[in-house]
């Protein structure tokens, strides 16, 4: 579909042409008609599908340039993403002089931002924490806002920005257009999303769920742990869940792997709730590459991108097998499922030979790699403060990227609970982050901080 099918100005069409945007992308042609009508939209389309221009063209079309008031606000989860969005909006806005687009993100001088705000802007692109700060200090007025956009909505809500967004909504007219754009929406995010939207048009571009793509490898071995190490060395998976049939086995295997300098944690029914939580946080944020689990303990565990599943012990039923390996190879990504069995288990294994895609090998065919080690990419810092202390992801991100001087990319997932917050920091930066957080302040308050 051509952009000229839309009720856009000739100047805008000429600019799109100059940018080399010959045709609308799928999400643009699905979402733009609704956006131009003023409807709320919740759009789901994969990365690189042109979501920025989808909402950007809409914002620019509805803008009254003569009115020097903030008319659109785009919220992004990080400074880097806000920067990308602002750049794309500026390219799209070249068709008309005097459109003022201002970036307001954490980690930049507040004073400078005050100066820029004094000159008024039409469109603000930024991160929730800093925008809220300006609202609270009354240096930003959103009472004329027409359109609110949440870009990368799933990440924003995932990173615990929801409270900041809720506080921010108090400064925004109820009569407004709200646009959510994201590559994915999980169930929780969808629930929150609907509280922000009104009679939204739902636009979903991802073709129907792709089936899991899983390599299923079986190894006959007399030494399961040695074979496991050889497989890990061969495949070098980013993260792995290893299934055992008993709690004791889970604990012992994790200990043995750690003894071999392969970082692992066990999760089993004997853990207290808080211990279980600590383990899950560390696995999901990349602070440990391996989780050794029993089936019961792994129930309800939702890790989006799991590279490998290992059946250290054969599952009791084939349903359990399917359930276990179904955790990898999601969303079109390649997954590996490795099953280890001994000669004594040969009979049980025959029932797995009903599918030709399964590959059965002797563990002796694997290269010996007993010196192989695995270290996590991130370290988890625990901050003794959470929702109760009104601590938000943006505050932690701001403290680390601003005063502590860490790059945004060295900060991983942030999980905020009632009384505690967990932040993943790239290993090489973790000492710096820890010493800053220990000695410095977050939101003008001191918190105790330790390494998990
Ligand atoms: P997303 O946010 O969906 O991940 P982006 O908005 O960053 O994707 O767009 C990805 C790339 O596609 C950008 O380089 C952008 O300039 C380009 N692009 C957007 N719309 C079009 C279009 N209609 N035709 C050609 N290229 C486009
Ligand atoms: Mg994008």
């Amino acid at each position: 579909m051509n952009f000229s099918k839309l009720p856009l100005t000739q100047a805008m069409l000429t600019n799109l042409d100059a940018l080399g945007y010959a045709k609308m992308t799928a999400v643009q042609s699905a979402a733009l008609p609704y956006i131009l009508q003023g409807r709320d939209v919740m759009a789901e389309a994969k990365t690189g599908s042109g979501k920025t221009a989808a909402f950007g063209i809409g914002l620019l079309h509805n803008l009254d340039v003569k009115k020097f008031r903030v008319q659109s606000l785009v919220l992004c989860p990080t400074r880097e993403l806000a920067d990308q969005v602002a750049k794309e909006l500026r390219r799209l806005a070249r068709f008309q002089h005097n459109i003022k687009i201002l970036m307001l993100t954490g980690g930049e001088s507040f004073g400078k931002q005050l100066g820029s705000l004094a000159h008024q802007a039409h469109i603000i692109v930024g991160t929730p924490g800093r925008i809220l700060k300006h609202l609270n200090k009354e240096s930003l007025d959103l009472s004329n806002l027409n359109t609110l956009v949440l870009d990368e909505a799933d990440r924003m809500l995932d990173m615990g920005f929801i409270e900041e967004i809720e506080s921010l909504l108090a400064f925004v007219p109820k009569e407004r257009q709200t646009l959510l754009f994201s590559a994915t929406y999980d169930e929780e995010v969808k629930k929150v999303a609907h509280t922000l939207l009104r009679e939204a048009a739902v636009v979903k571009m991802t073709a129907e769920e792709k089936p899991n793509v899983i390599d299923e490898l079986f190894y006959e071995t007399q030494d399961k742990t040695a074979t496991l190490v050889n497989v890990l060395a061969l495949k070098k998976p980013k993260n792995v869940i290893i299934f055992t049939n008993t709690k004791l086995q889970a604990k012992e295997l994790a200990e043995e792997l750690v003894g071999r300098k392969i970082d692992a944690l066990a999760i089993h029914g004997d853990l207290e709730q808080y211990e279980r939580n600590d383990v899950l946080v560390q696995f999901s944020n990349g602070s440990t590459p391996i989780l050794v689990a029993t089936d019961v303990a792994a129930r309800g565990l939702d890790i989006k991108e799991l590279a490998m599943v290992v059946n250290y012990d054969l599952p009791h039923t084939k349903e359990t097998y399917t359930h276990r390996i179904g955790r990898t190879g999601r969303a079109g990504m390649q997954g590996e499922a490795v099953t280890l069995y001994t000669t004594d288990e040969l009979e049980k294994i025959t029932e797995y030979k009903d599918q030709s895609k399964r590959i059965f090998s002797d563990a002796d065919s694997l290269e010996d790699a007993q010196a192989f080690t695995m270290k996590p990419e991130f370290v988890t810092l625990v901050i003794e403060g959470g929702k109760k202390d009104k601590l938000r992801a943006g505050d932690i991100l701001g403290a680390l990227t601003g005063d502590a001087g860490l790059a945004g990319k060295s900060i991983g997932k942030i999980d905020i609970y009632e009384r505690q917050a967990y932040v993943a920091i790239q290993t090489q930066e973790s000492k710096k982050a820890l010493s800053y957080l220990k000695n410095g302040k977050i939101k003008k308050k001191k918190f105790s901080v330790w390494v998990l």
Side-chain angles (χ1 to χ4, degrees):
M1 220 172 60
N2 287 319
F3 284 108
S4 58
K5 294 263 161 57
L6 298 172
L8 298 172
T9 62
Q10 190 51 52
M12 169 80 92
L13 291 173
T14 307
N15 184 47
L16 289 171
D17 198 44
L19 289 173
Y21 292 9
K23 282 199 167 101
M24 286 190 258
T25 65
V27 65
Q28 289 163 2
S29 81
L32 265 168
Y34 293 119
I35 297 176
L36 295 176
Q37 282 166 23
R39 290 267 310 261
D40 281 7
V41 173
M42 177 165 152
E44 178 172 349
K46 64 178 192 296
T47 305
S49 56
K51 294 191 286 295
T52 320
F55 62 76
I57 293 168
L59 298 186
L60 292 166
H61 181 79
N62 294 333
L63 196 71
D64 179 354
V65 187
K66 287 194 216 73
K67 187 170 143 189
F68 276 99
R69 290 282 177 273
V70 177
Q71 295 164 52
S72 311
L73 171 65
V74 183
L75 295 175
C76 302
T78 65
R79 173 166 38 157
E80 286 82 359
L81 287 163
D83 191 46
Q84 282 174 24
V85 168
K87 283 204 176 100
E88 172 84 351
L89 290 182
R90 290 197 175 108
R91 275 153 34 95
L92 292 168
R94 292 189 310 191
F95 70 94
Q96 186 164 14
H97 290 296
N98 288 327
I99 297 183
K100 290 255 159 56
I101 299 169
L102 181 63
M103 227 178 97
L104 295 177
T105 62
E108 316 229 306
S109 152
F110 192 76
K112 250 196 206 155
Q113 292 178 350
L114 287 179
S116 311
L117 278 166
H119 292 105
Q120 288 292 355
H122 294 109
I123 300 175
I124 305 265
V125 182
T127 47
R130 181 55 63 96
I131 285 169
L132 198 55
K133 193 165 166 190
H134 280 291
L135 289 167
N136 285 325
K137 294 220 173 346
E138 296 183 4
S139 46
L140 175 64
D141 172 20
L142 293 180
S143 61
N144 287 282
L145 196 82
N146 297 320
T147 308
L148 172 69
V149 181
L150 264 69
D151 193 19
E152 309 250 344
D154 64 331
R155 265 190 84 192
M156 299 213 50
L157 303 168
D158 204 35
M159 284 173 81
F161 281 119
I162 183 61
E163 286 179 34
E164 282 163 327
I165 292 167
E166 274 164 2
S167 317
L168 199 145
L169 284 178
F171 295 90
V172 170
K174 283 210 167 55
E175 285 294 325
R176 60 158 200 270
Q177 179 181 36
T178 308
L179 308 174
L180 303 194
F181 280 79
S182 197
T184 54
Y185 290 93
D186 61 32
E187 285 310 312
E188 217 166 306
V189 170
K190 264 190 208 155
K191 257 185 256 158
V192 185
H194 282 294
T195 66
L196 307 173
L197 296 164
R198 276 203 320 201
E199 292 168 32
V202 177
V203 166
K204 187 171 166 153
M205 301 321 301
T206 39
E208 67 280 11
E209 284 279 312
K210 287 195 186 131
N212 291 12
V213 189
I214 308 173
D215 279 341
E216 295 179 59
L217 306 172
F218 290 72
Y219 289 101
E220 184 176 333
T221 176
Q222 290 318 316
D223 184 346
K224 287 190 177 183
T225 308
T227 301
L228 172 64
V229 173
N230 291 343
V231 169
L232 293 174
L234 176 69
K235 301 283 182 184
K236 299 189 176 56
K238 208 173 137 235
N239 52 6
V240 188
I241 296 185
I242 301 174
F243 284 99
T244 61
N245 287 346
T246 68
K247 301 186 249 198
L248 185 65
Q249 182 87 65
K251 233 167 86 178
E252 287 179 354
L253 180 58
E255 278 165 15
E256 185 172 358
L257 289 172
V258 171
R260 289 169 172 251
K261 297 203 164 60
I262 295 177
D263 207 71
L265 288 172
I267 185 155
H268 48 77
D270 283 350
L271 297 182
E272 298 286 347
Q273 184 57 40
Y274 77 92
E275 293 173 308
R276 179 184 153 83
N277 202 45
D278 282 357
V279 170
L280 291 183
V281 164
Q282 289 180 88
F283 186 62
S284 73
N285 73 14
S287 297
T288 190
I290 297 183
L291 189 68
V292 188
T294 55
D295 292 299
V296 175
R299 210 173 272 164
L301 201 109
D302 186 32
I303 307 291
K304 282 186 193 121
E305 290 176 7
L306 186 62
M308 182 185 276
V309 168
V310 176
N311 294 303
Y312 188 89
D313 289 329
L314 278 184
H316 292 306
T317 66
K318 278 184 87 177
E319 286 70 45
T320 307
Y321 174 84
T322 308
H323 196 76
R324 284 179 179 182
I325 73 162
R327 295 170 177 281
T328 183
R330 284 186 185 169
M333 294 217 335
Q334 184 75 25
E336 307 272 357
V338 174
T339 303
L340 308 176
Y341 61 96
T342 62
T343 319
D344 299 338
E345 291 170 317
L346 264 176
E347 199 178 324
K348 267 203 223 151
I349 218 71
T350 52
E351 59 178 306
Y352 289 92
K353 296 198 169 162
D354 59 343
Q355 287 190 25
S356 58
K357 63 173 182 175
R358 293 181 180 146
I359 297 169
F360 295 81
S361 319
D362 195 296
D364 290 340
S365 65
L366 290 165
E367 196 172 317
D368 190 52
Q370 296 305 301
F372 178 70
T373 66
M374 262 172 108
K375 285 278 152 273
E377 188 186 348
F378 292 97
V379 167
T380 301
L381 302 184
V382 188
I383 299 168
E384 184 81 277
K387 290 184 180 162
K388 269 212 145 61
D389 310 276
K390 303 233 175 341
L391 202 60
R392 300 171 170 125
D395 302 326
I396 299 171
L397 212 57
L400 288 169
T401 57
D403 306 339
L406 266 72
K409 66 174 179 358
S410 56
I411 301 157
K413 204 161 170 253
I414 299 176
D415 296 281
I416 304 203
Y417 293 88
E418 261 329 281
R419 287 163 202 281
Q420 283 184 334
Y422 298 81
V423 49
I425 308 282
Q426 270 183 349
T427 313
Q428 60 271 28
E429 295 284 5
S430 60
K431 281 214 176 78
K432 191 169 161 191
L434 178 67
S435 107
Y436 173 77
L437 290 177
K438 266 191 160 158
N439 303 310
K441 291 181 177 174
I442 309 172
K443 273 182 113 177
K444 302 203 176 79
K445 263 177 75 183
K446 264 193 123 58
F447 292 95
S448 0
V449 181
W450 65 91
V451 179
L452 197 61

